[in-house]
Amino acid sequence: MNLSSEVTSFLDDQKHPLRKEIEQLRNYILSANTDLTENVKWNGPNYCFNSEDRITMKIHPPKNIQIIFHRGAKKQEQPKEKLVEDNFKLLTWKENDRAIATFHNITDIVDAENGLTEIVKMWIIATK
């Protein structure tokens, strides 16, 4: 796995009350695709494929953690349909190329492991 020391140091400084949950999500995301790289962007862990931002973790405010699936910072032409099929009912769609998965605790995260890793895999394929 490509756990980034930059992200680990950033999280150490945050003293976040959901650190255990954040670490679990980091592991799930990075294990879903070995070509993902991790950095800090928008004040949270961010995941890139071929140096393009694709998945960002929103960790503030610390009431929950959101995984934002996107196609980068620049607005792009919208696809006619949602980029991936969410058979796991984890995603809230903001646009056809932007969705959010929200987790409140470690149980939510552990229960979503298979669905989340599948969505990460599908997202990377759909946004190559």
Side-chain angles (χ1 to χ4, degrees), residues 12-101:
D12 289 346
D13 292 343
Q14 297 292 305
K15 309 251 187 289
H16 200 286
L18 299 174
R19 175 68 182 265
K20 179 172 68 171
E21 290 80 355
I22 293 167
E23 292 299 331
Q24 194 71 38
L25 288 167
R26 289 176 75 195
N27 288 323
Y28 289 169
I29 292 168
L30 289 168
S31 69
N33 186 308
T34 58
D35 292 324
L36 287 174
T37 57
E38 183 182 52
N39 60 27
V40 176
K41 195 163 208 165
W42 299 302
N43 207 27
N46 182 66
Y47 302 88
C48 299
F49 183 80
N50 289 336
S51 300
E52 297 286 334
D53 298 325
R54 291 294 174 253
I55 301 166
T56 304
M57 196 180 303
K58 181 179 178 224
I59 61 173
H60 294 289
K63 62 182 180 179
N64 60 35
I65 303 165
Q66 293 185 313
I67 306 296
I68 302 160
F69 294 88
H70 56 87
R71 294 193 294 165
K74 293 181 182 172
K75 185 109 172 131
Q76 299 181 34
E77 184 177 330
Q78 280 297 303
K80 291 185 184 356
E81 297 185 15
K82 293 176 177 138
L83 287 180
V84 300
E85 195 168 324
D86 177 19
N87 297 323
F88 309 98
K89 299 183 179 21
L90 290 176
L91 301 177
T92 302
W93 290 89
K94 298 302 180 184
E95 295 189 57
N96 284 343
D97 69 346
R98 184 175 139 95
I100 299 172

Side-chain angles (χ1 to χ4, degrees), residues 93-111:
W93 290 89
K94 298 302 180 184
E95 295 189 57
N96 284 343
D97 69 346
R98 184 175 139 95
I100 299 172
T102 302
F103 302 98
H104 300 287
N105 54 51
I106 195 71
T107 303
D108 286 354
I109 294 165
V110 171
D111 289 348

